[in-house]
Amino acid sequence: MALRILAVTSEAFPLAKTGGLGDAVSGMARAVHSRGPDITVMLPSYRGVRQRLLHASVIGHMHGLPGGDARLVKGLCPESGLDIIVLENDALYDREGLYLDESGKEYSDNAIRFAALSHAAARVAAGFPGVPGFDILHAHDWHAALAPLVLRQLGAKDVRTVLTLHNVAFQGWFDTSVAQQIGIDSDLWDNAGLMHGDCVNFLHAGITCADKITVVSGNYAQEILTPEFGCGLEELLRRRQDDIIAIANGIDVSVWNPVSDPYLKGSQFSADHLFNKSVCKRRLQETFSLEPDAESTVIGMGSRLTGQKMADVAAEAIPFLLDSHPGLQVCVIGCGEKHIEARLREIGDQYPGRCAVHIGYSEELAHLLHAGSDILLHGSRFEPFGLTPLYAMRYGTIPIGSRTGGMVDTIHDPGSVGTDEVMGLATGLLFDGDQVADIYNAIERALRLRSINTIWRRMQRNAMLRDFSWERAAPAYLHCYQALCSGRVEVVSPVLTASVREAKRTAAVRAGSRQIGISAA
Ligand code: ADP
Ligand code: GLC
């Protein structure tokens, strides 16, 4: 029998996504699935999610969860082909946002909402009537991090657990009074790491209880052992060091592919045929009311507009850059902290035709941004992995990233000293620091390199041809799962299984597509 894995998460692309977590979970699950294991992704049934599933049906009712009784609904995600279980409790999840209300404040019951997810997932993994049990529960980030503790509370020793750390800056901290409301026995509050300092801390519990902990890049796995990046968890992480495995993320090369990207509307391009990249640039300029100047350098910024992403510093740097470089344009897509959004909007108004700011979330515009920009600015104070620069690279858009976290592993910058020639090996630029001058200088450096056409062209080509696919990361996850379950499950031949599964998936998607009238991919 193949390994059975339950991936528990608050986001899975395209059903629910606010950032890279959703992309990473779906990309990883697809890649693992194609190598043999049966993998089901479980997430909350946020508004509209159930309607996007094919063959959605209620498979059970769960009583006694934090926040009240809930339904389990199983279906198939037509885009990813993954089996999905959603936890349906409209009082908890049928809301406009995933985590925040309209004013940008966290929902006051987030502890209950995600404790319910962890409890339900642990009970499903341990064996719920009508659903065969799972060998592995794979929890992602703090939202699912209570699940290993709940399994311990249930005494479900047959289910092994993996916790992936996508970002330890978000830990699920809550007032101690919350401990009474989330269904955890009081004797486990301290023993199983639920309490950390004067708070309930979901991630602390997850790191304490999970059998293995994976981290989304090698460099970040080292960084989080230090007080600067560990955000208070460094001591616990050092204690668990023998169980920490760094597995760098990949990207879904079928979703982010300039050769076949439907969002490029007929203007697809490749490393050998870049002409249509300039068509995309023109379309980006038109869409954002930037001057239609093919000679200008367009700097794109597409990310959460938060302190993590140094968006506050970028907002300060942009006017200086626009003033000192008449040939420069800036295009920003994002949403996040209100004061940063407001400042960027102001700059957009001050520089019409040269700085465009779209506050909001749009998958389509994000694809156009990566395709049409010349440079992607991706400053970060910390960056566990950083998918956005990889998407940019694939579209021949040179990333300028901070020398931190995963970007150290993924952006190749041979250095600002030495000859320009050496930059012919680069895939992007890295900079240190979080001051306006740091961003300013990094962009000046990029503009100078861009003026040397042969070198820039080589950098684009290097970037576009780098293999960052999930296929490279999947074996490490498989190895981790198999090591945890050794002797308990038969390992199925990956090649055979992959083709059988792909055929099953295509048949299921086709059948579902006929039913709801969309065309099969
Ligand atoms: P993080 O997960 O920290 O936000 P990543 O770079 O790993 O950073 O992933 C961000 C993902 O979210 C990318 O897929 C990016 O395109 C997407 N994204 C962020 N903001 C927006 C937005 N406003 N509109 C569309 N996509 C966005
Ligand atoms: C987090 C991190 C980001 C990473 C993503 C996927 O949101 O901030 O760096 O790429 O998760 O793992």
Side-chain angles (χ1 to χ4, degrees), residues 11 19-25 28 141 164-168 170 216-217 220 249 304 308-309 378 380 382-389 406 470:
E11 299 187 22
L21 173 65
D23 285 357
V25 169
M28 177 193 304
D141 266 357
T164 292
L165 303 178
H166 294 265
N167 197 337
V168 304
F170 300 96
V216 295
S217 75
Y220 189 62
N249 280 341
R304 293 183 285 116
Q308 176 187 341
K309 303 294 177 184
H378 196 87
S380 296
F382 58 92
E383 194 62 77
F385 183 71
L387 292 162
T388 315
W470 272 109

Side-chain angles (χ1 to χ4, degrees), residues 11 13 17-24 166-167 170 249 256 302-306 308-309 333-335 358-367 370 378 380 382-391:
E11 299 187 22
F13 176 80
K17 167 177 166 182
T18 65
L21 173 65
D23 285 357
H166 294 265
N167 197 337
F170 300 96
N249 280 341
W256 294 92
S303 70
R304 293 183 285 116
L305 300 175
T306 62
Q308 176 187 341
K309 303 294 177 184
I333 302 175
C335 44
H358 174 86
I359 301 298
Y361 190 92
S362 162
E363 232 15 85
E364 177 168 2
L365 291 180
H367 280 247
H370 286 102
H378 196 87
S380 296
F382 58 92
E383 194 62 77
F385 183 71
L387 292 162
T388 315
L390 269 53
Y391 299 151

Side-chain angles (χ1 to χ4, degrees), residues 458-520:
R458 266 156 57 199
M459 288 170 68
Q460 282 183 303
R461 197 175 164 77
N462 300 338
M464 292 181 85
L465 297 179
R466 268 284 167 98
D467 177 9
F468 286 117
S469 67
W470 272 109
E471 296 315 310
R472 297 166 72 241
Y477 279 105
L478 220 58
H479 185 261
C480 167
Y481 298 146
Q482 285 166 351
L484 282 172
C485 296
S486 57
R488 291 202 301 133
V489 282
E490 179 194 333
V491 179
V492 185
S493 153
V495 177
L496 178 66
T497 317
S499 57
V500 170
R501 275 179 212 295
E502 192 52 31
K504 258 175 58 189
R505 178 179 93 83
T506 310
V509 172
R510 287 230 168 89
S513 308
R514 276 198 298 276
Q515 203 181 316
I516 62 167
I518 58 166
S519 61

Side-chain angles (χ1 to χ4, degrees), residues 89-351:
N89 174 340
D90 289 348
L92 294 186
Y93 307 121
D94 182 19
R95 301 182 187 173
E96 193 59 39
L98 266 52
Y99 316 115
L100 310 175
D101 66 18
E102 300 83 66
S103 66
K105 266 185 48 202
E106 302 209 345
Y107 293 126
S108 57
D109 58 351
N110 274 348
I112 308 290
R113 297 171 77 224
F114 293 106
L117 176 68
S118 286
H119 275 272
R123 282 160 64 176
V124 168
F128 188 75
V131 189
F134 288 82
D135 302 296
I136 303 268
L137 184 153
H138 186 158
H140 292 270
D141 266 357
W142 77 263
H143 320 91
L146 281 193
L149 192 168
V150 177
L151 278 168
R152 189 183 282 191
Q153 178 166 301
L154 295 173
K157 296 205 175 73
D158 282 348
V159 184
R160 300 283 180 265
T161 54
V162 178
L163 171 69
T164 292
L165 303 178
H166 294 265
N167 197 337
V168 304
F170 300 96
Q171 300 178 9
W173 295 282
F174 301 100
D175 187 84
T176 44
S177 60
V178 157
Q180 311 274 0
Q181 303 161 38
I182 55 175
I184 304 296
D185 299 341
S186 55
D187 57 318
L188 289 172
W189 292 358
D190 286 317
N191 286 345
L194 181 66
M195 297 295 183
H196 184 225
D198 341 333
C199 287
V200 163
N201 185 322
F202 280 33
L203 200 60
H204 191 267
I207 296 170
T208 305
C209 295
D211 293 319
K212 290 284 173 199
I213 298 144
T214 72
V215 183
V216 295
S217 75
N219 192 43
Y220 189 62
Q222 293 301 316
E223 287 176 342
I224 57 176
L225 302 178
T226 67
E228 188 184 354
F229 294 99
C231 305
L233 297 179
E234 58 278 5
E235 218 179 287
L236 173 63
L237 286 163
R238 278 200 297 270
R239 260 186 274 135
R240 297 262 9 227
Q241 216 170 334
D242 289 349
D243 293 309
I244 296 181
I245 309 168
I247 307 178
N249 280 341
I251 63 172
D252 192 327
V253 289
S254 63
V255 175
W256 294 92
N257 187 353
V259 175
S260 56
D261 189 332
Y263 289 125
L264 306 194
K265 302 192 171 134
S267 305
Q268 284 82 3
F269 57 90
S270 67
D272 291 325
H273 298 97
L274 270 183
F275 175 77
N276 274 344
K277 181 160 173 67
S278 49
V279 176
C280 293
K281 177 167 171 176
R282 196 166 61 240
R283 188 172 302 138
L284 181 72
Q285 289 171 321
E286 276 165 19
T287 308
F288 286 90
S289 305
L290 291 167
E291 286 158 14
D293 176 4
E295 297 306 311
S296 62
T297 298
V298 177
I299 298 189
M301 246 178 80
S303 70
R304 293 183 285 116
L305 300 175
T306 62
Q308 176 187 341
K309 303 294 177 184
M310 243 190 245
D312 49 335
V313 190
E316 273 192 71
I318 290 169
F320 288 113
L321 286 158
L322 291 171
D323 288 342
S324 48
H325 296 281
L328 198 68
Q329 298 183 349
V330 176
C331 185
V332 181
I333 302 175
C335 44
E337 292 167 23
K338 297 295 164 201
H339 67 106
I340 303 179
E341 291 181 355
R343 179 68 193 117
L344 283 165
R345 272 203 183 100
E346 256 171 38
I347 300 170
D349 293 342
Q350 282 161 8
Y351 293 87

